[in-house]
Amino acid sequence: MDTPLLDLSYLQEISGSDSTYIYEVLNLFLDTVPKSLEILDQLIRETDDYESIQRRAHSLKSSSSVIKVRDMFDNVARIDMLARSKSGKEEMRTRMEATLINFNEALPHIRAERKKNKPVKSKS
């Protein structure tokens, strides 16, 4: 069975389906994760700074465990592990490329979910 591109079931569960909470989490995710992925990609492609790669990958694991983009958690967890062992740059590049493809494909869906859950301002 194929893994869905985007799985928000855990977010639904922890939020109790509270749309304001979902909106805030998705907003924070969209404010931080794209830039963090960009930085991780750059670190992997352009440096041998395994410590920075490991820290960045490790920080992305928590975000990718709540908002599940296909294979993102497994890929950043593996990059984290490889960076800890100071090895596997080629595998890191391959996993990063796959992560970016899936993330960019999921991005419009994440934005749509955020919009769908945006709190309605009440008129006073």
Side-chain angles (χ1 to χ4, degrees), residues 54-80:
Q54 186 274 319
R55 277 197 316 267
R56 184 65 58 172
H58 187 78
S59 73
L60 280 163
K61 283 192 326 188
S62 61
S63 298
S64 61
S65 69
V66 175
I67 294 151
K68 298 175 184 168
V69 173
R70 181 185 304 133
D71 299 329
M72 186 169 157
F73 179 84
D74 292 341
N75 285 335
V76 296
R78 179 70 178 159
I79 290 168
D80 178 10

Side-chain angles (χ1 to χ4, degrees), residues 37-64:
L37 284 170
E38 181 183 317
I39 292 167
L40 179 59
D41 183 46
Q42 184 175 14
L43 286 166
I44 290 169
R45 283 185 294 105
E46 299 176 6
T47 77
D48 287 324
D49 185 350
Y50 289 102
E51 187 176 320
S52 293
I53 291 168
Q54 186 274 319
R55 277 197 316 267
R56 184 65 58 172
H58 187 78
S59 73
L60 280 163
K61 283 192 326 188
S62 61
S63 298
S64 61

